[in-house]
Amino acid sequence: MAKLKAEDIAAVKGRGFLINRGTDCFSGRIVAPGTVFTAEDFENIAALSAKYGSGKLLCTSRMAVEIPGISFENIPAAESFAAAHGLRFGGTGAKVRPVTACKGTTCVYGNYDTQALAREIHEKFYLGWSDVKLPHKFKIAVGGCPNSCIKPALNDFGIEGHRVPVFDESKCRGCTVCQIEKACPMKAAKLVDGKLHIDRSLCLSCGVCTGKCPFKAVAHDTETMYKIYVGGTWGKRTRMGTALSRLVRQEEILPLIEKTMLWFKENAYAKERLGLAIDRLGEDKLEQALFGDELLERKEEILARDMLQRP
């Protein structure tokens, strides 16, 4: 086989195939909707690797599966095999990257169905915006609680589920052993003069205490609210994501993602990460735009623009 050209390597990278260092072979990255693979998916991925790759499977930090050792000439056949079995290669480039989610769907600390929300985001933005070129990569993480296992604050758009404890003092019996105080991992809940007191400066609204009171002094069906982080990065340049000033409801999340990406495309220079653009232009300017509707009203205009170049 003739030596691979740089343009060939770049072209297949955009389809999810990354060159294996020191070889002429590639790793193909399989992306799962909502970060969930079925047993049948794994069987088909294993068969794909055995037929076209090295026979090995590698897990990525973005919860995808890579098949190493695919030769350049076998890439089209590997793509056809994947498509025939409901699988998709992808996950690279200056665009929306594969959405990650913690196991909040089944975790005892999860405040909502993280995998369902991740799948919705996957379909609307990872697939729906697959042809939209952004200034740089855009990573989205869906976290179920303030334990932050999926590190929402280190993603371009991070979602973290919270349950703010709603305390009804009239139902508090001042129990000697208070189940809310006992359950609180932050020691924000304490009995004071025979009544429960919740120190809001310490409370993380993690939801652990909700429903623990047998007299329902702290509601068990508290609405899940969401803390949003924007502009987080991890790696050569680490930046904690900017937390929006208020918690949001679930119906606000998808519009906020869309507005964040529109703001990113309009304001960031080519090859500039979102966090750097926020630092350059100001957090207040970003939040004002995200909690307004003007960006969505100009969506088609923004998407049609050329990438902003550094002066």
Side-chain angles (χ1 to χ4, degrees):
M1 174 181 172
K3 184 176 176 59
L4 292 174
K5 298 177 181 178
E7 53 266 34
D8 293 330
I9 295 172
V12 296
K13 180 179 179 181
R15 286 150 49 191
F17 294 87
L18 307 172
I19 190 73
N20 292 163
R21 184 178 60 196
T23 76
D24 287 335
C25 291
F26 296 78
S27 288
R29 185 174 296 172
I30 301 284
V31 178
T35 72
V36 177
F37 289 99
T38 66
E40 184 179 3
D41 288 338
F42 275 126
E43 289 175 357
N44 289 326
I45 294 170
L48 199 164
S49 182
K51 188 170 185 178
Y52 298 110
S54 67
K56 297 178 181 178
L57 304 179
L58 309 176
C59 294
T60 76
S61 60
R62 299 298 295 178
M63 297 185 172
V65 174
E66 281 190 3
I67 300 168
I70 302 174
S71 66
F72 182 78
E73 60 269 23
N74 275 339
I75 287 176
E79 289 177 311
S80 296
F81 183 101
H85 294 85
L87 302 170
R88 177 184 289 268
F89 286 102
T92 61
K95 56 184 179 180
V96 181
R97 292 296 186 88
V99 182
T100 61
C102 74
K103 53 173 254 180
T105 300
T106 57
C107 180
V108 294
Y109 296 110
N111 286 320
Y112 67 104
D113 188 346
T114 53
Q115 291 162 354
L117 178 59
R119 186 181 186 99
E120 188 176 2
I121 295 170
H122 171 91
E123 292 172 354
K124 184 172 178 62
F125 296 114
Y126 177 74
L127 297 182
W129 281 54
S130 62
D131 293 331
V132 177
K133 185 173 177 58
L134 296 172
H136 210 302
K137 67 185 75 170
F138 190 89
K139 296 181 176 182
I140 303 172
V142 182
C145 78
N147 284 342
S148 295
C149 297
I150 203 68
K151 307 296 184 291
L154 294 175
N155 283 258
D156 296 282
F157 194 96
I159 303 161
E160 191 174 84
H162 289 243
R163 285 186 187 273
V164 181
V166 178
F167 175 47
D168 184 346
E169 187 175 351
S170 67
K171 294 180 180 178
C172 178
R173 307 266 184 107
C175 301
T176 303
V177 179
C178 172
Q179 296 303 313
I180 302 300
E181 181 179 23
K182 185 178 177 181
C184 178
M186 298 305 296
K187 307 304 179 187
K190 294 182 181 297
L191 284 181
V192 179
D193 298 327
K195 284 288 185 178
L196 178 66
H197 171 74
I198 299 176
D199 186 340
R200 299 293 178 176
S201 68
L202 296 177
C203 176
L204 293 180
S205 58
C206 65
V208 171
C209 71
T210 58
K212 294 293 194 298
C213 176
F215 305 107
K216 297 182 171 54
V218 175
H220 71 284
D221 56 352
T222 307
E223 178 186 8
T224 298
M225 300 292 287
Y226 302 84
K227 188 170 186 176
I228 303 299
Y229 297 93
V230 288
T233 55
W234 183 253
K236 296 183 182 72
R237 291 188 177 185
T238 300
R239 181 189 190 275
M240 291 296 292
T242 299
L244 298 188
S245 61
R246 66 171 175 86
L247 300 180
V248 305
R249 289 185 163 82
Q250 186 162 344
E251 60 268 22
E252 297 179 83
I253 293 175
L254 297 187
L256 279 171
I257 295 174
E258 188 162 26
K259 285 185 276 190
T260 300
M261 291 195 293
L262 289 171
W263 190 93
F264 183 33
K265 181 166 176 59
E266 181 173 49
N267 291 286
Y269 298 130
K271 298 185 178 180
E272 181 181 37
R273 291 296 296 270
L274 173 61
L276 293 177
I278 294 171
D279 290 339
R280 178 167 53 81
L281 298 172
E283 296 176 0
D284 291 344
K285 182 177 180 180
L286 171 72
E287 177 152 327
Q288 183 180 4
L290 295 189
F291 284 132
D293 294 324
E294 194 258 349
L295 285 168
L296 292 179
E297 292 167 359
R298 296 190 299 110
K299 176 180 176 179
E300 297 307 319
E301 172 198 337
I302 293 170
L303 292 180
R305 287 183 180 181
D306 292 333
M307 205 68 66
L308 191 63
Q309 301 297 319
R310 292 183 183 277

